[in-house]
Amino acid sequence: MIREEDEAYLAQYRALLKAWTMAVGGFTNDDSDELHRKLEAGQDELARIAQDHPEKSYDVDMLIHARSRPWGGFAADRLPRPPHRQP
């Protein structure tokens, strides 16, 4: 891939990560499991970008670690949100 395509992929992955984070946090009704599967599927592409563009390795590392850090639980496992924080 050319640099512009890799930049576009990183931007798309960041947006997907944000959507997943919002779903896990209970701020949207998106399917957090489906979004997580999409994030997992993109990990090989992230690794390739880091190898092809060493200056992007920090960005890739941050994306991978943001996705894999422990969360309070997926929507099905979370306690209900307080009434004043309901969407």
Side-chain angles (χ1 to χ4, degrees):
M1 284 185 152
I2 59 175
R3 178 181 287 290
E4 292 80 18
E5 290 174 336
D6 289 341
E7 289 287 342
Y9 186 84
L10 289 174
Q12 179 258 340
Y13 196 89
R14 280 185 200 98
L16 184 59
L17 180 62
K18 181 179 179 180
W20 176 73
T21 302
M22 296 295 284
V24 168
F27 298 103
T28 65
N29 292 326
D30 294 336
D31 183 0
S32 60
D33 292 334
E34 177 63 27
L35 292 169
H36 190 264
R37 282 190 286 277
K38 289 178 181 179
L39 289 170
E40 286 285 320
Q43 190 167 339
D44 290 340
E45 186 65 18
L46 290 177
R48 187 205 54 77
I49 290 171
Q51 287 179 341
D52 290 353
H53 307 287
E55 72 279 4
K56 293 291 178 192
S57 61
Y58 179 79
D59 294 338
V60 169
D61 193 45
M62 292 303 292
L63 289 172
I64 290 171
H65 287 295
R67 179 186 51 78
S68 60
R69 71 177 175 227
W71 291 94
F74 288 98
D77 302 324
R78 279 195 314 268
L79 295 172
R81 293 173 65 190
H84 69 282
R85 298 213 36 221
Q86 293 296 328

